[in-house]
Amino acid sequence: MADTDTAAQPVLDLDALLASRTLLMVGGKGGVGKTTTASALAIRAADQGRKVLLVSTDPAHSLADAFNRPIGNSPTCLAPGLTALELDPDDEVEAYLDRVSAQMRRFATPDQFRELDKQLRLSRQSPGAQEAALLERISRLIDVDSRDYDLLIFDTAPTGHTLRLLSLPEVMAAWTQGLLRHSDKARKLGQVLGHLTPDKSVDSPLQDPTDHATAGLDSRSQEVADTLIARQRLFHRARRQLSDPVQTAFVFVLTPERLPILETQRAVASLTENGIPVAGAVVNRVLPDAADSAFFAARHARQQRHMEELAHALGALPRKDLPLQEDDIQGLEAIRAFAGLLGNGDH
């Protein structure tokens, strides 16, 4: 950029990330080109010989719009080496609660199960239900499905949603404790579940929950505890991988506008504080330097001010600037052409 000092600004090497990581999270404010960028990264990695699973957790289902074809909630091959999947939050909630119901039916008394079923019906629309269900599916994708792919790329929901997802690994145990607390017969089990609630583990998110003893439980309570501990171990394994800078990188996408800059600045600080490795940012829709009208010149001058603000807000975080495109980017070949802009070189 002619008017912006980029001499000290490190350039984000996206090809190096695609070649070296096994998990790439792409996040940012809605409407900044996050899905297009995630899709382009996935195509670029696949074209370079990696086996890629591209997963969208955004309820807007913009991944199908980007590729201009149906994708849905089951793996869909889009190109050689590239498979895509759109997680539907409502479907995930139903599947999540069905699993809970089936497991708890085995262990609960008829009276307990009637209370459980009532709580399940109420919880379908409760705050956090979608996040909890998505977290479990994402954790399973990271822990199990990643074995079948070289690289998982997540096109995450808008930033605030992503931050909530990353902070919920203990929600299932806490919720289950609430269901069982009404029963005197579950008192001992409740004591065990107390070891798995957020106030016991958020401060040490990488601590193994199986460190807590379950001695003294009857066989039915032990089975319930084992089921919950297995789920907790899944969450903790996912958290460990998300926190591993050798395997994982978080890339933010933003445009040189005030609100995306502010949101990205807050999100980078929050993820860094929570131990999630942020590799850099992709700045999308950067105007060219040439100005052929007073209107365009004014827009360019305003954007330059935002670019300077952005450089200050993100500091030394590596960055890749992408030019504003003449047309919408839709369909496999258009995304592949856009992916050509992601390679090494100048801003």
Side-chain angles (χ1 to χ4, degrees):
M1 299 300 297
D3 300 325
T4 304
D5 181 11
T6 59
Q9 181 68 49
V11 178
L12 177 60
D13 189 342
L14 291 166
D15 282 336
L17 292 180
L18 294 177
S20 62
R21 301 303 195 274
T22 58
L23 177 60
L24 191 62
M25 309 288 285
V26 182
K29 186 176 177 64
V32 297
K34 171 175 54 65
T35 295
T36 300
T37 301
S39 301
L41 288 168
I43 287 179
R44 190 170 181 86
D47 286 348
Q48 293 172 355
R50 304 206 80 192
K51 188 176 181 183
V52 182
L53 177 63
L54 173 61
V55 182
S56 172
T57 67
D58 195 330
H61 298 314
S62 51
L63 195 61
D65 295 334
F67 283 95
N68 198 27
R69 58 165 295 177
I71 294 178
N73 204 16
S74 58
T76 302
C77 182
L78 299 179
L82 175 58
T83 301
L85 175 67
E86 282 186 327
L87 302 185
D88 186 291
D90 291 332
D91 288 349
E92 295 302 327
V93 168
E94 290 299 318
Y96 177 80
L97 295 179
D98 285 348
R99 287 194 298 272
V100 173
S101 178
Q103 290 170 344
M104 299 307 294
R105 184 186 288 271
R106 295 171 49 209
F107 307 126
T109 65
D111 287 343
Q112 285 177 324
F113 188 78
R114 279 193 291 272
E115 178 65 20
L116 171 68
D117 191 56
K118 175 184 174 183
Q119 295 291 338
L120 288 175
R121 287 197 303 270
L122 292 173
S123 67
R124 276 172 167 80
Q125 300 302 322
S126 65
Q130 289 188 347
E131 286 89 343
L134 282 171
L135 176 68
E136 181 166 342
R137 182 69 185 279
I138 289 170
S139 297
R140 293 190 186 282
L141 284 167
I142 292 172
D143 188 55
V144 179
D145 296 60
S146 60
R147 301 169 194 170
D148 298 324
Y149 297 91
D150 301 317
L151 175 64
L152 264 65
I153 297 180
F154 281 90
D155 169 30
T156 70
T159 306
H161 187 186
T162 299
L163 295 176
R164 288 195 298 275
L165 272 177
L166 294 173
S167 69
L168 286 174
E170 293 82 16
V171 68
M172 179 61 196
W175 176 77
T176 306
Q177 184 190 37
L179 290 179
L180 295 176
R181 194 156 40 199
H182 74 282
S183 172
D184 290 337
K185 294 180 180 179
R187 179 179 54 82
K188 287 184 179 180
L189 179 57
Q191 293 172 355
V192 173
L193 295 174
H195 291 301
L196 303 177
T197 54
D199 62 332
K200 298 288 183 170
S201 53
V202 155
D203 291 336
S204 303
L206 305 184
Q207 184 178 2
D208 190 338
T210 57
D211 290 343
H212 301 293
T214 58
L217 297 178
D218 59 42
S219 60
R220 188 177 69 177
S221 296
Q222 182 70 57
E223 286 187 71
V224 176
D226 288 345
T227 298
L228 293 172
I229 287 173
R231 181 169 284 114
Q232 285 298 91
R233 293 182 69 183
L234 168 70
F235 292 153
H236 281 259
R237 288 194 301 271
R239 279 288 287 269
R240 280 196 293 269
Q241 182 159 342
L242 283 170
S243 304
D244 183 356
V246 175
Q247 298 186 72
T248 301
F250 205 112
V251 173
F252 279 99
V253 182
L254 70 158
T255 51
E257 299 170 282
R258 182 164 179 76
L259 292 182
I261 292 170
L262 292 174
E263 180 167 329
T264 302
Q265 182 181 23
R266 289 192 294 266
V268 168
S270 182
L271 288 181
T272 302
E273 183 181 351
N274 283 279
I276 307 300
V278 179
V282 172
V283 184
N284 196 23
R285 301 173 190 158
V286 178
L287 294 172
D289 291 335
D292 55 6
S293 70
F295 172 81
F296 188 89
R299 292 278 305 201
H300 183 268
R302 184 178 70 177
Q303 184 176 92
Q304 287 302 109
R305 292 193 296 272
H306 287 315
M307 292 294 285
E308 293 170 4
E309 179 184 355
L310 186 153
H312 176 74
L314 300 185
L317 191 71
R319 204 177 81 212
K320 180 74 177 178
D321 296 349
L322 301 178
L324 178 67
Q325 301 298 293
E326 294 181 359
D327 200 357
D328 293 338
I329 301 167
Q330 190 174 41
L332 181 62
E333 292 311 314
I335 296 173
R336 179 172 275 121
F338 182 72
L341 302 173
L342 302 178
N344 298 330
D346 296 331
H347 285 296

